[in-house]
Amino acid sequence: MPTKSLAPPRSIAPAALLQRAGWHGAFLLLGALVVTALAALPARAQIGSTAPVRIGVVGPFTGASADFGVPMLNGIRMAVDEINAGGGYLGRPLELVVKDDAANPDQGRKVSQDLLAEKVVATIGFCNTGVAMKAIDLFQEAKSPLIVPCSSGTAVTAKYPPAESYIFRVQGRDALQAPFMVEDIVKRGWDKVAIFADKTGYGEGGYNDVVAALAAKNLKPVHVARFDLGVKDLTGELTAARAAGANVVFSYTVGQENAVIANGKKTLGWKAPQVGPWTLSFPYFLDGARDAAEGALMVQTFIAEPSNERRASFLSSYTRKFQRKLAVPMAAANAYDATYLLMYSFLGIRDGNLNGPALKESLEGKMKTYYGVVATYDKPFSPVDKDAITRNMLVIGVVKNGAITFAYPEDAKRNLIIQRKQ
């Protein structure tokens, strides 16, 4: 049975009606009931264009980062289809304008310019921190809200003063993920850390966050390896890390390089555990390292297990819709929730004028509570905080038999209750 925290808000749908519909039916029912409620607004709110509400989407849908870019896009599409089945916004369907950044910063900036030129009301996107940092000034200067569901680089929501920022995020930033993992490895007695970080903006930011988290525990890395994307062999750096006495490898990179590290350790016969942020849950690592990935630990906001009806419905709906395995569950779930949060911000604007400042104000405090897949979003953003994910929403995942599950039984039990922001 759903916990009390999962009950849908009465102002949108009566609890008894949702019980009869079930959570999957509730997704479609939600939109219809929202439209019914909006019909009671003053007539002037209904007057105007019936043209689609255009929402930008930008991410790596081809290339090396497509393994998490495509699940992000699918999560957005699933949410939009559900919303449109219920009537959209004031009778206007939502329409996605999708741009592929191919994980390239220059291309990311160009397609972001294209999105803004196409007059999208807001944008959901970015998986790669380096790409995001190259483009977010465009959204800020245009006063066009951007909701980031995947990129975890701390700098993404720190570049602008929060009160002025149009950059929002539904993802655990690295300044949360790094200390969360450091606390876990210290608890396990692993105090000699080797850091392996790529030279991208993501790797640089993650490296700095890990060093700061270690310093908070009076620790320093015993070895640091920095490398370019696409590296095929890190045997020399791994040998040096082992010689330095490292008893754990903290990796901060995006894809196949994580597998290079795991396979290199296996070749050397070095059994030091590999830990890191959410990128250790990506197919490039799981499929590329196979048995060498077993036991790796990573930070997660969402693990693809049907721990309650809300999550079970999301997982089954995704499988039915896309007829494929959910490759990076976190990317899809975060993006799905981000899309509904954007829709809820629309509903906070009663006159139908979806301009950037009005959406920013709505996102920062005028929305009703959204009972999401990753979390229950009760005031997820504010004028002083643009990150929706807080530490209590994080768990440690572990690779077991080639899949991600909970590292701790207590986390699996805690996951029965969807967390609220703290």
Side-chain angles (χ1 to χ4, degrees):
M1 294 294 292
T3 66
K4 184 176 180 181
S5 68
L6 290 174
R10 293 182 181 177
S11 60
I12 294 179
L17 195 54
L18 287 179
Q19 285 179 351
R20 291 199 297 271
W23 277 112
H24 177 60
F27 288 148
L28 301 182
L29 182 61
L30 173 63
L33 290 174
V34 166
V35 171
T36 300
L38 287 169
L41 294 177
R44 66 179 180 276
Q46 305 278 334
I47 296 173
S49 174
T50 58
V53 177
R54 293 164 64 81
I55 298 170
V57 179
V58 58
F61 309 128
T62 60
S65 292
D67 60 342
F68 64 121
V70 171
M72 180 194 80
L73 176 59
N74 287 346
I76 296 167
R77 283 176 167 161
M78 193 163 86
V80 165
D81 286 349
E82 291 167 0
I83 292 165
N84 284 341
Y89 169 70
L90 292 176
R92 300 171 62 187
L94 307 188
E95 177 183 277
L96 297 178
V97 182
V98 179
K99 303 292 185 182
D100 181 10
D101 64 35
N104 180 290
D106 291 331
Q107 184 167 329
R109 185 173 180 87
K110 179 184 181 302
V111 298
S112 296
Q113 291 170 326
D114 293 342
L115 281 175
L116 292 168
E118 293 187 43
K119 305 299 182 184
V120 296
V121 300
T123 299
I124 303 169
F126 292 113
C127 288
N128 305 89
T129 296
V131 181
M133 293 304 293
K134 183 83 172 184
I136 58 175
D137 63 301
L138 298 172
F139 297 94
Q140 182 69 17
E141 291 168 6
K143 296 185 177 180
S144 182
L146 168 69
I147 302 182
V148 179
C150 286
S151 173
S152 59
T154 301
V156 170
T157 48
K159 183 172 182 178
Y160 301 105
E164 302 170 12
S165 180
Y166 280 76
I167 315 302
F168 300 81
R169 176 160 48 193
V170 185
Q171 164 66 295
R173 65 191 184 276
D174 289 327
L176 281 181
Q177 292 196 44
F180 192 76
M181 180 53 73
V182 165
E183 287 180 15
D184 188 69
I185 64 177
V186 169
K187 181 173 69 175
R188 291 170 181 265
W190 302 332
D191 57 354
K192 294 180 175 58
V193 183
I195 302 176
F196 279 63
D198 67 41
K199 295 179 181 178
T200 66
Y202 173 69
E204 180 68 21
Y207 164 75
N208 290 331
D209 285 329
V210 173
V211 169
L214 288 171
K217 299 292 184 182
N218 296 315
L219 296 173
K220 293 182 178 180
V222 297
H223 181 78
V224 172
R226 303 300 305 276
F227 50 86
D228 294 318
L229 290 183
V231 65
K232 302 299 184 184
D233 186 1
L234 287 167
T235 303
E237 290 285 7
L238 289 165
T239 300
R242 182 171 62 176
N247 55 17
V248 61
V249 174
F250 203 131
S251 58
Y252 240 100
T253 187
V254 177
Q256 62 186 9
E257 296 78 20
N258 276 320
V260 170
I261 294 167
N263 290 327
K265 290 196 299 97
K266 180 182 176 181
T267 299
L268 291 172
W270 187 28
K271 297 187 181 299
Q274 185 171 350
V275 305
W278 74 302
T279 53
L280 285 178
S281 66
F282 289 11
Y284 268 123
F285 177 62
L286 300 177
D287 297 340
R290 296 189 179 276
D291 62 316
E294 286 292 301
L297 299 167
M298 79 294 298
V299 182
Q300 298 279 274
T301 60
F302 175 74
I303 289 177
E305 295 185 10
S307 53
N308 54 51
E309 289 186 43
R310 187 75 169 96
R311 288 168 174 157
S313 180
F314 169 78
L315 292 169
S316 62
S317 295
Y318 187 101
T319 301
R320 282 196 302 270
K321 184 173 183 64
F322 299 108
Q323 296 295 304
R324 68 177 68 179
K325 176 184 176 182
L326 179 45
V328 184
M330 247 181 89
N334 287 358
Y336 178 90
D337 281 359
T339 308
Y340 266 101
L341 287 174
L342 180 59
M343 178 62 184
Y344 271 46
S345 76
F346 294 170
L347 299 178
I349 300 174
R350 298 174 64 87
D351 64 2
N353 184 10
L354 302 180
N355 63 73
L359 286 174
K360 177 178 181 291
E361 183 182 2
S362 187
L363 284 164
E364 290 174 347
K366 293 179 65 177
M367 295 188 300
K368 293 183 180 297
T369 299
Y370 165 55
Y371 298 84
V373 174
V374 173
T376 292
Y377 300 91
D378 183 15
K379 295 181 172 54
F381 308 113
S382 75
V384 297
D385 185 2
K386 296 302 190 290
D387 283 286
I389 302 300
T390 47
R391 187 184 184 282
N392 62 300
M393 300 172 189
L394 303 180
V395 297
I396 300 293
V398 61
V399 181
K400 187 174 182 180
N401 298 322
I404 307 300
T405 189
F406 294 96
Y408 297 104
E410 54 267 34
D411 277 348
K413 292 179 180 178
R414 186 169 64 89
N415 202 53
L416 295 172
I417 302 173
I418 294 184
Q419 300 294 307
R420 292 174 181 261
K421 187 170 185 175
Q422 292 181 356

